[in-house]
PDB file of all heavy atoms in Angstrom:
ATOM      1  N   THR A 153     -19.069   3.195  -2.776  1.00  0.00           N
ATOM      2  CA  THR A 153     -17.740   3.703  -2.440  1.00  0.00           C
ATOM      3  C   THR A 153     -16.667   3.003  -3.269  1.00  0.00           C
ATOM      4  O   THR A 153     -15.799   3.646  -3.866  1.00  0.00           O
ATOM      5  CB  THR A 153     -17.458   3.504  -0.942  1.00  0.00           C
ATOM      6  OG1 THR A 153     -18.406   4.274  -0.189  1.00  0.00           O
ATOM      7  CG2 THR A 153     -16.054   3.928  -0.569  1.00  0.00           C
ATOM      8  N   ALA A 154     -16.720   1.678  -3.291  1.00  0.00           N
ATOM      9  CA  ALA A 154     -15.741   0.913  -4.066  1.00  0.00           C
ATOM     10  C   ALA A 154     -15.834   1.256  -5.545  1.00  0.00           C
ATOM     11  O   ALA A 154     -14.817   1.475  -6.218  1.00  0.00           O
ATOM     12  CB  ALA A 154     -15.951  -0.578  -3.844  1.00  0.00           C
ATOM     13  N   LEU A 155     -17.052   1.308  -6.065  1.00  0.00           N
ATOM     14  CA  LEU A 155     -17.263   1.599  -7.481  1.00  0.00           C
ATOM     15  C   LEU A 155     -16.693   2.960  -7.859  1.00  0.00           C
ATOM     16  O   LEU A 155     -15.940   3.092  -8.838  1.00  0.00           O
ATOM     17  CB  LEU A 155     -18.761   1.544  -7.795  1.00  0.00           C
ATOM     18  CG  LEU A 155     -19.173   1.939  -9.214  1.00  0.00           C
ATOM     19  CD1 LEU A 155     -18.585   0.983 -10.232  1.00  0.00           C
ATOM     20  CD2 LEU A 155     -20.699   1.992  -9.316  1.00  0.00           C
ATOM     21  N   ARG A 156     -17.057   3.996  -7.114  1.00  0.00           N
ATOM     22  CA  ARG A 156     -16.591   5.344  -7.445  1.00  0.00           C
ATOM     23  C   ARG A 156     -15.074   5.482  -7.262  1.00  0.00           C
ATOM     24  O   ARG A 156     -14.404   6.145  -8.065  1.00  0.00           O
ATOM     25  CB  ARG A 156     -17.330   6.389  -6.616  1.00  0.00           C
ATOM     26  CG  ARG A 156     -18.823   6.456  -6.857  1.00  0.00           C
ATOM     27  CD  ARG A 156     -19.158   6.872  -8.278  1.00  0.00           C
ATOM     28  NE  ARG A 156     -20.600   7.017  -8.445  1.00  0.00           N
ATOM     29  CZ  ARG A 156     -21.310   6.432  -9.400  1.00  0.00           C
ATOM     30  NH1 ARG A 156     -20.698   5.661 -10.296  1.00  0.00           N
ATOM     31  NH2 ARG A 156     -22.603   6.622  -9.495  1.00  0.00           N
ATOM     32  N   ALA A 157     -14.530   4.875  -6.233  1.00  0.00           N
ATOM     33  CA  ALA A 157     -13.077   4.938  -6.029  1.00  0.00           C
ATOM     34  C   ALA A 157     -12.338   4.324  -7.203  1.00  0.00           C
ATOM     35  O   ALA A 157     -11.323   4.865  -7.676  1.00  0.00           O
ATOM     36  CB  ALA A 157     -12.695   4.234  -4.729  1.00  0.00           C
ATOM     37  N   ILE A 158     -12.841   3.199  -7.689  1.00  0.00           N
ATOM     38  CA  ILE A 158     -12.224   2.531  -8.837  1.00  0.00           C
ATOM     39  C   ILE A 158     -12.384   3.388 -10.097  1.00  0.00           C
ATOM     40  O   ILE A 158     -11.438   3.572 -10.868  1.00  0.00           O
ATOM     41  CB  ILE A 158     -12.837   1.131  -9.029  1.00  0.00           C
ATOM     42  CG1 ILE A 158     -12.453   0.221  -7.855  1.00  0.00           C
ATOM     43  CG2 ILE A 158     -12.385   0.514 -10.355  1.00  0.00           C
ATOM     44  CD1 ILE A 158     -13.344  -1.002  -7.712  1.00  0.00           C
ATOM     45  N   GLU A 159     -13.590   3.942 -10.279  1.00  0.00           N
ATOM     46  CA  GLU A 159     -13.854   4.740 -11.476  1.00  0.00           C
ATOM     47  C   GLU A 159     -12.954   5.974 -11.558  1.00  0.00           C
ATOM     48  O   GLU A 159     -12.450   6.309 -12.631  1.00  0.00           O
ATOM     49  CB  GLU A 159     -15.321   5.172 -11.508  1.00  0.00           C
ATOM     50  CG  GLU A 159     -16.284   4.070 -11.901  1.00  0.00           C
ATOM     51  CD  GLU A 159     -17.708   4.578 -12.004  1.00  0.00           C
ATOM     52  OE1 GLU A 159     -18.241   5.042 -10.977  1.00  0.00           O
ATOM     53  OE2 GLU A 159     -18.285   4.511 -13.095  1.00  0.00           O
ATOM     54  N   ILE A 160     -12.770   6.670 -10.447  1.00  0.00           N
ATOM     55  CA  ILE A 160     -11.973   7.904 -10.483  1.00  0.00           C
ATOM     56  C   ILE A 160     -10.489   7.628 -10.279  1.00  0.00           C
ATOM     57  O   ILE A 160      -9.683   8.544 -10.221  1.00  0.00           O
ATOM     58  CB  ILE A 160     -12.461   8.925  -9.435  1.00  0.00           C
ATOM     59  CG1 ILE A 160     -12.242   8.412  -7.998  1.00  0.00           C
ATOM     60  CG2 ILE A 160     -13.920   9.307  -9.682  1.00  0.00           C
ATOM     61  CD1 ILE A 160     -12.469   9.455  -6.922  1.00  0.00           C
ATOM     62  N   GLU A 161     -10.134   6.344 -10.158  1.00  0.00           N
ATOM     63  CA  GLU A 161      -8.740   5.926  -9.992  1.00  0.00           C
ATOM     64  C   GLU A 161      -8.103   6.543  -8.745  1.00  0.00           C
ATOM     65  O   GLU A 161      -6.997   7.083  -8.788  1.00  0.00           O
ATOM     66  CB  GLU A 161      -7.941   6.269 -11.249  1.00  0.00           C
ATOM     67  CG  GLU A 161      -8.497   5.601 -12.504  1.00  0.00           C
ATOM     68  CD  GLU A 161      -7.791   6.030 -13.775  1.00  0.00           C
ATOM     69  OE1 GLU A 161      -6.587   5.724 -13.911  1.00  0.00           O
ATOM     70  OE2 GLU A 161      -8.443   6.680 -14.619  1.00  0.00           O
ATOM     71  N   ALA A 162      -8.826   6.439  -7.641  1.00  0.00           N
ATOM     72  CA  ALA A 162      -8.299   6.912  -6.357  1.00  0.00           C
ATOM     73  C   ALA A 162      -7.127   6.039  -5.916  1.00  0.00           C
ATOM     74  O   ALA A 162      -7.026   4.868  -6.296  1.00  0.00           O
ATOM     75  CB  ALA A 162      -9.403   6.882  -5.303  1.00  0.00           C
ATOM     76  N   ASP A 163      -6.245   6.606  -5.112  1.00  0.00           N
ATOM     77  CA  ASP A 163      -5.118   5.836  -4.572  1.00  0.00           C
ATOM     78  C   ASP A 163      -5.570   4.901  -3.458  1.00  0.00           C
ATOM     79  O   ASP A 163      -4.964   3.847  -3.241  1.00  0.00           O
ATOM     80  CB  ASP A 163      -4.037   6.779  -4.039  1.00  0.00           C
ATOM     81  CG  ASP A 163      -3.353   7.552  -5.154  1.00  0.00           C
ATOM     82  OD1 ASP A 163      -2.972   6.933  -6.160  1.00  0.00           O
ATOM     83  OD2 ASP A 163      -3.207   8.777  -5.012  1.00  0.00           O
ATOM     84  N   ALA A 164      -6.623   5.286  -2.740  1.00  0.00           N
ATOM     85  CA  ALA A 164      -7.118   4.463  -1.625  1.00  0.00           C
ATOM     86  C   ALA A 164      -8.470   4.975  -1.176  1.00  0.00           C
ATOM     87  O   ALA A 164      -8.864   6.109  -1.478  1.00  0.00           O
ATOM     88  CB  ALA A 164      -6.142   4.479  -0.452  1.00  0.00           C
ATOM     89  N   ILE A 165      -9.164   4.125  -0.435  1.00  0.00           N
ATOM     90  CA  ILE A 165     -10.401   4.500   0.245  1.00  0.00           C
ATOM     91  C   ILE A 165     -10.072   4.738   1.713  1.00  0.00           C
ATOM     92  O   ILE A 165      -9.447   3.894   2.358  1.00  0.00           O
ATOM     93  CB  ILE A 165     -11.456   3.392   0.132  1.00  0.00           C
ATOM     94  CG1 ILE A 165     -11.911   3.231  -1.329  1.00  0.00           C
ATOM     95  CG2 ILE A 165     -12.656   3.677   1.035  1.00  0.00           C
ATOM     96  CD1 ILE A 165     -12.742   1.988  -1.572  1.00  0.00           C
ATOM     97  N   LEU A 166     -10.496   5.872   2.239  1.00  0.00           N
ATOM     98  CA  LEU A 166     -10.391   6.140   3.671  1.00  0.00           C
ATOM     99  C   LEU A 166     -11.770   5.942   4.273  1.00  0.00           C
ATOM    100  O   LEU A 166     -12.724   6.633   3.894  1.00  0.00           O
ATOM    101  CB  LEU A 166      -9.891   7.566   3.933  1.00  0.00           C
ATOM    102  CG  LEU A 166      -8.377   7.759   4.018  1.00  0.00           C
ATOM    103  CD1 LEU A 166      -7.691   7.289   2.755  1.00  0.00           C
ATOM    104  CD2 LEU A 166      -8.036   9.224   4.298  1.00  0.00           C
ATOM    105  N   LEU A 167     -11.882   4.989   5.178  1.00  0.00           N
ATOM    106  CA  LEU A 167     -13.168   4.583   5.721  1.00  0.00           C
ATOM    107  C   LEU A 167     -13.298   5.121   7.144  1.00  0.00           C
ATOM    108  O   LEU A 167     -12.726   4.569   8.083  1.00  0.00           O
ATOM    109  CB  LEU A 167     -13.258   3.052   5.705  1.00  0.00           C
ATOM    110  CG  LEU A 167     -14.621   2.388   5.649  1.00  0.00           C
ATOM    111  CD1 LEU A 167     -15.385   2.819   4.406  1.00  0.00           C
ATOM    112  CD2 LEU A 167     -14.469   0.878   5.665  1.00  0.00           C
ATOM    113  N   ALA A 168     -14.032   6.236   7.288  1.00  0.00           N
ATOM    114  CA  ALA A 168     -14.213   6.863   8.601  1.00  0.00           C
ATOM    115  C   ALA A 168     -15.507   6.360   9.217  1.00  0.00           C
ATOM    116  O   ALA A 168     -16.601   6.673   8.754  1.00  0.00           O
ATOM    117  CB  ALA A 168     -14.249   8.386   8.454  1.00  0.00           C
ATOM    118  N   LYS A 169     -15.371   5.544  10.271  1.00  0.00           N
ATOM    119  CA  LYS A 169     -16.525   4.854  10.835  1.00  0.00           C
ATOM    120  C   LYS A 169     -16.763   5.264  12.285  1.00  0.00           C
ATOM    121  O   LYS A 169     -16.008   6.041  12.864  1.00  0.00           O
ATOM    122  CB  LYS A 169     -16.300   3.338  10.756  1.00  0.00           C
ATOM    123  CG  LYS A 169     -15.963   2.842   9.342  1.00  0.00           C
ATOM    124  CD  LYS A 169     -15.846   1.342   9.279  1.00  0.00           C
ATOM    125  CE  LYS A 169     -17.186   0.661   9.373  1.00  0.00           C
ATOM    126  NZ  LYS A 169     -17.111  -0.777   9.106  1.00  0.00           N
ATOM    127  N   ALA A 170     -17.817   4.710  12.855  1.00  0.00           N
ATOM    128  CA  ALA A 170     -18.087   4.936  14.265  1.00  0.00           C
ATOM    129  C   ALA A 170     -17.184   4.077  15.147  1.00  0.00           C
ATOM    130  O   ALA A 170     -17.138   4.258  16.364  1.00  0.00           O
ATOM    131  CB  ALA A 170     -19.555   4.633  14.566  1.00  0.00           C
ATOM    132  N   ILE A 171     -16.449   3.141  14.528  1.00  0.00           N
ATOM    133  CA  ILE A 171     -15.510   2.274  15.240  1.00  0.00           C
ATOM    134  C   ILE A 171     -14.108   2.559  14.695  1.00  0.00           C
ATOM    135  O   ILE A 171     -13.950   2.946  13.544  1.00  0.00           O
ATOM    136  CB  ILE A 171     -15.904   0.794  15.054  1.00  0.00           C
ATOM    137  CG1 ILE A 171     -15.087  -0.121  15.935  1.00  0.00           C
ATOM    138  CG2 ILE A 171     -15.802   0.382  13.597  1.00  0.00           C
ATOM    139  CD1 ILE A 171     -15.607  -1.553  15.947  1.00  0.00           C
ATOM    140  N   ASP A 172     -13.073   2.371  15.522  1.00  0.00           N
ATOM    141  CA  ASP A 172     -11.748   2.907  15.208  1.00  0.00           C
ATOM    142  C   ASP A 172     -10.823   1.969  14.437  1.00  0.00           C
ATOM    143  O   ASP A 172      -9.609   2.160  14.435  1.00  0.00           O
ATOM    144  CB  ASP A 172     -11.052   3.361  16.490  1.00  0.00           C
ATOM    145  CG  ASP A 172     -10.751   2.211  17.441  1.00  0.00           C
ATOM    146  OD1 ASP A 172     -11.297   1.104  17.226  1.00  0.00           O
ATOM    147  OD2 ASP A 172      -9.977   2.417  18.388  1.00  0.00           O
ATOM    148  N   GLY A 173     -11.368   0.967  13.759  1.00  0.00           N
ATOM    149  CA  GLY A 173     -10.511   0.073  12.980  1.00  0.00           C
ATOM    150  C   GLY A 173     -11.190  -1.250  12.725  1.00  0.00           C
ATOM    151  O   GLY A 173     -12.407  -1.399  12.913  1.00  0.00           O
ATOM    152  N   VAL A 174     -10.392  -2.226  12.312  1.00  0.00           N
ATOM    153  CA  VAL A 174     -10.895  -3.569  12.035  1.00  0.00           C
ATOM    154  C   VAL A 174     -10.521  -4.491  13.188  1.00  0.00           C
ATOM    155  O   VAL A 174      -9.352  -4.552  13.588  1.00  0.00           O
ATOM    156  CB  VAL A 174     -10.309  -4.121  10.717  1.00  0.00           C
ATOM    157  CG1 VAL A 174     -10.830  -5.528  10.451  1.00  0.00           C
ATOM    158  CG2 VAL A 174     -10.638  -3.192   9.558  1.00  0.00           C
ATOM    159  N   TYR A 175     -11.493  -5.203  13.733  1.00  0.00           N
ATOM    160  CA  TYR A 175     -11.298  -6.118  14.860  1.00  0.00           C
ATOM    161  C   TYR A 175     -11.586  -7.557  14.436  1.00  0.00           C
ATOM    162  O   TYR A 175     -12.295  -7.789  13.451  1.00  0.00           O
ATOM    163  CB  TYR A 175     -12.224  -5.744  16.016  1.00  0.00           C
ATOM    164  CG  TYR A 175     -11.833  -4.479  16.751  1.00  0.00           C
ATOM    165  CD1 TYR A 175     -12.095  -3.225  16.204  1.00  0.00           C
ATOM    166  CD2 TYR A 175     -11.212  -4.531  17.994  1.00  0.00           C
ATOM    167  CE1 TYR A 175     -11.748  -2.063  16.874  1.00  0.00           C
ATOM    168  CE2 TYR A 175     -10.866  -3.373  18.672  1.00  0.00           C
ATOM    169  CZ  TYR A 175     -11.132  -2.143  18.111  1.00  0.00           C
ATOM    170  OH  TYR A 175     -10.770  -0.989  18.783  1.00  0.00           O
ATOM    171  N   ASP A 176     -11.056  -8.493  15.217  1.00  0.00           N
ATOM    172  CA  ASP A 176     -11.307  -9.902  14.909  1.00  0.00           C
ATOM    173  C   ASP A 176     -12.716 -10.343  15.282  1.00  0.00           C
ATOM    174  O   ASP A 176     -13.175 -11.416  14.876  1.00  0.00           O
ATOM    175  CB  ASP A 176     -10.262 -10.806  15.579  1.00  0.00           C
ATOM    176  CG  ASP A 176     -10.317 -10.741  17.097  1.00  0.00           C
ATOM    177  OD1 ASP A 176     -11.047  -9.883  17.651  1.00  0.00           O
ATOM    178  OD2 ASP A 176      -9.605 -11.544  17.735  1.00  0.00           O
ATOM    179  N   SER A 177     -13.420  -9.516  16.046  1.00  0.00           N
ATOM    180  CA  SER A 177     -14.826  -9.743  16.384  1.00  0.00           C
ATOM    181  C   SER A 177     -15.417  -8.391  16.774  1.00  0.00           C
ATOM    182  O   SER A 177     -14.696  -7.396  16.867  1.00  0.00           O
ATOM    183  CB  SER A 177     -14.967 -10.763  17.535  1.00  0.00           C
ATOM    184  OG  SER A 177     -14.239 -10.322  18.673  1.00  0.00           O
ATOM    185  N   ASP A 178     -16.696  -8.364  17.019  1.00  0.00           N
ATOM    186  CA  ASP A 178     -17.372  -7.088  17.298  1.00  0.00           C
ATOM    187  C   ASP A 178     -16.981  -6.571  18.688  1.00  0.00           C
ATOM    188  O   ASP A 178     -17.335  -7.183  19.707  1.00  0.00           O
ATOM    189  CB  ASP A 178     -18.885  -7.295  17.227  1.00  0.00           C
ATOM    190  CG  ASP A 178     -19.656  -5.978  17.305  1.00  0.00           C
ATOM    191  OD1 ASP A 178     -19.034  -4.946  17.628  1.00  0.00           O
ATOM    192  OD2 ASP A 178     -20.868  -6.001  17.063  1.00  0.00           O
ATOM    193  N   PRO A 179     -16.263  -5.438  18.764  1.00  0.00           N
ATOM    194  CA  PRO A 179     -15.846  -4.924  20.077  1.00  0.00           C
ATOM    195  C   PRO A 179     -17.018  -4.436  20.937  1.00  0.00           C
ATOM    196  O   PRO A 179     -16.871  -4.275  22.151  1.00  0.00           O
ATOM    197  CB  PRO A 179     -14.892  -3.773  19.726  1.00  0.00           C
ATOM    198  CG  PRO A 179     -15.291  -3.359  18.358  1.00  0.00           C
ATOM    199  CD  PRO A 179     -15.774  -4.598  17.670  1.00  0.00           C
ATOM    200  N   LYS A 180     -18.182  -4.229  20.307  1.00  0.00           N
ATOM    201  CA  LYS A 180     -19.348  -3.804  21.076  1.00  0.00           C
ATOM    202  C   LYS A 180     -19.902  -4.942  21.921  1.00  0.00           C
ATOM    203  O   LYS A 180     -20.489  -4.708  22.980  1.00  0.00           O
ATOM    204  CB  LYS A 180     -20.438  -3.288  20.128  1.00  0.00           C
ATOM    205  CG  LYS A 180     -20.067  -2.004  19.405  1.00  0.00           C
ATOM    206  CD  LYS A 180     -21.186  -1.580  18.463  1.00  0.00           C
ATOM    207  CE  LYS A 180     -20.820  -0.319  17.704  1.00  0.00           C
ATOM    208  NZ  LYS A 180     -21.879   0.072  16.736  1.00  0.00           N
ATOM    209  N   THR A 181     -19.688  -6.172  21.439  1.00  0.00           N
ATOM    210  CA  THR A 181     -20.212  -7.327  22.169  1.00  0.00           C
ATOM    211  C   THR A 181     -19.107  -8.174  22.792  1.00  0.00           C
ATOM    212  O   THR A 181     -19.380  -8.977  23.685  1.00  0.00           O
ATOM    213  CB  THR A 181     -21.053  -8.216  21.227  1.00  0.00           C
ATOM    214  OG1 THR A 181     -20.248  -8.621  20.111  1.00  0.00           O
ATOM    215  CG2 THR A 181     -22.264  -7.443  20.702  1.00  0.00           C
ATOM    216  N   ASN A 182     -17.871  -8.006  22.330  1.00  0.00           N
ATOM    217  CA  ASN A 182     -16.749  -8.770  22.857  1.00  0.00           C
ATOM    218  C   ASN A 182     -15.671  -7.828  23.386  1.00  0.00           C
ATOM    219  O   ASN A 182     -14.902  -7.251  22.602  1.00  0.00           O
ATOM    220  CB  ASN A 182     -16.164  -9.679  21.772  1.00  0.00           C
ATOM    221  CG  ASN A 182     -14.960 -10.473  22.269  1.00  0.00           C
ATOM    222  OD1 ASN A 182     -14.708 -10.564  23.480  1.00  0.00           O
ATOM    223  ND2 ASN A 182     -14.193 -11.043  21.347  1.00  0.00           N
ATOM    224  N   PRO A 183     -15.581  -7.647  24.703  1.00  0.00           N
ATOM    225  CA  PRO A 183     -14.587  -6.728  25.264  1.00  0.00           C
ATOM    226  C   PRO A 183     -13.149  -7.181  25.015  1.00  0.00           C
ATOM    227  O   PRO A 183     -12.218  -6.386  25.166  1.00  0.00           O
ATOM    228  CB  PRO A 183     -14.916  -6.725  26.761  1.00  0.00           C
ATOM    229  CG  PRO A 183     -15.653  -8.010  26.999  1.00  0.00           C
ATOM    230  CD  PRO A 183     -16.402  -8.281  25.741  1.00  0.00           C
ATOM    231  N   ASN A 184     -12.962  -8.418  24.612  1.00  0.00           N
ATOM    232  CA  ASN A 184     -11.610  -8.937  24.340  1.00  0.00           C
ATOM    233  C   ASN A 184     -11.267  -8.932  22.848  1.00  0.00           C
ATOM    234  O   ASN A 184     -10.266  -9.539  22.441  1.00  0.00           O
ATOM    235  CB  ASN A 184     -11.484 -10.364  24.890  1.00  0.00           C
ATOM    236  CG  ASN A 184     -11.642 -10.412  26.403  1.00  0.00           C
ATOM    237  OD1 ASN A 184     -11.070  -9.599  27.123  1.00  0.00           O
ATOM    238  ND2 ASN A 184     -12.448 -11.348  26.886  1.00  0.00           N
ATOM    239  N   ALA A 185     -12.087  -8.266  22.050  1.00  0.00           N
ATOM    240  CA  ALA A 185     -11.822  -8.193  20.611  1.00  0.00           C
ATOM    241  C   ALA A 185     -10.470  -7.521  20.369  1.00  0.00           C
ATOM    242  O   ALA A 185     -10.086  -6.581  21.065  1.00  0.00           O
ATOM    243  CB  ALA A 185     -12.931  -7.416  19.912  1.00  0.00           C
ATOM    244  N   VAL A 186      -9.739  -8.039  19.389  1.00  0.00           N
ATOM    245  CA  VAL A 186      -8.391  -7.547  19.079  1.00  0.00           C
ATOM    246  C   VAL A 186      -8.426  -6.743  17.781  1.00  0.00           C
ATOM    247  O   VAL A 186      -8.965  -7.194  16.766  1.00  0.00           O
ATOM    248  CB  VAL A 186      -7.402  -8.721  18.930  1.00  0.00           C
ATOM    249  CG1 VAL A 186      -6.017  -8.217  18.520  1.00  0.00           C
ATOM    250  CG2 VAL A 186      -7.326  -9.510  20.237  1.00  0.00           C
ATOM    251  N   LYS A 187      -7.841  -5.540  17.815  1.00  0.00           N
ATOM    252  CA  LYS A 187      -7.796  -4.701  16.620  1.00  0.00           C
ATOM    253  C   LYS A 187      -6.550  -5.008  15.803  1.00  0.00           C
ATOM    254  O   LYS A 187      -5.465  -5.173  16.348  1.00  0.00           O
ATOM    255  CB  LYS A 187      -7.812  -3.215  17.003  1.00  0.00           C
ATOM    256  CG  LYS A 187      -7.902  -2.285  15.799  1.00  0.00           C
ATOM    257  CD  LYS A 187      -8.171  -0.846  16.187  1.00  0.00           C
ATOM    258  CE  LYS A 187      -6.914  -0.145  16.644  1.00  0.00           C
ATOM    259  NZ  LYS A 187      -7.140   1.298  16.854  1.00  0.00           N
ATOM    260  N   TYR A 188      -6.714  -5.068  14.501  1.00  0.00           N
ATOM    261  CA  TYR A 188      -5.593  -5.284  13.596  1.00  0.00           C
ATOM    262  C   TYR A 188      -4.950  -3.937  13.236  1.00  0.00           C
ATOM    263  O   TYR A 188      -5.655  -2.954  12.990  1.00  0.00           O
ATOM    264  CB  TYR A 188      -6.065  -5.949  12.300  1.00  0.00           C
ATOM    265  CG  TYR A 188      -6.607  -7.338  12.458  1.00  0.00           C
ATOM    266  CD1 TYR A 188      -7.974  -7.568  12.489  1.00  0.00           C
ATOM    267  CD2 TYR A 188      -5.758  -8.434  12.547  1.00  0.00           C
ATOM    268  CE1 TYR A 188      -8.489  -8.856  12.613  1.00  0.00           C
ATOM    269  CE2 TYR A 188      -6.257  -9.719  12.677  1.00  0.00           C
ATOM    270  CZ  TYR A 188      -7.619  -9.924  12.707  1.00  0.00           C
ATOM    271  OH  TYR A 188      -8.116 -11.191  12.835  1.00  0.00           O
ATOM    272  N   ASP A 189      -3.635  -3.912  13.161  1.00  0.00           N
ATOM    273  CA  ASP A 189      -2.938  -2.756  12.600  1.00  0.00           C
ATOM    274  C   ASP A 189      -2.970  -2.819  11.079  1.00  0.00           C
ATOM    275  O   ASP A 189      -3.161  -1.808  10.403  1.00  0.00           O
ATOM    276  CB  ASP A 189      -1.484  -2.696  13.082  1.00  0.00           C
ATOM    277  CG  ASP A 189      -1.375  -2.410  14.569  1.00  0.00           C
ATOM    278  OD1 ASP A 189      -2.243  -1.665  15.076  1.00  0.00           O
ATOM    279  OD2 ASP A 189      -0.450  -2.930  15.209  1.00  0.00           O
TER     280      ASP A 189
END
Side-chain angles (χ1 to χ4, degrees):
T153 297
L155 175 63
R156 297 296 184 232
I158 293 161
E159 284 184 298
I160 65 170
E161 301 175 65
D163 292 313
I165 293 169
L166 271 57
L167 206 59
K169 306 184 73 171
I171 188 170
D172 65 347
V174 179
Y175 288 77
D176 64 351
S177 57
D178 188 349
K180 293 179 181 177
T181 57
N182 178 15
N184 297 315
V186 176
K187 186 170 80 173
Y188 295 100
D189 293 326

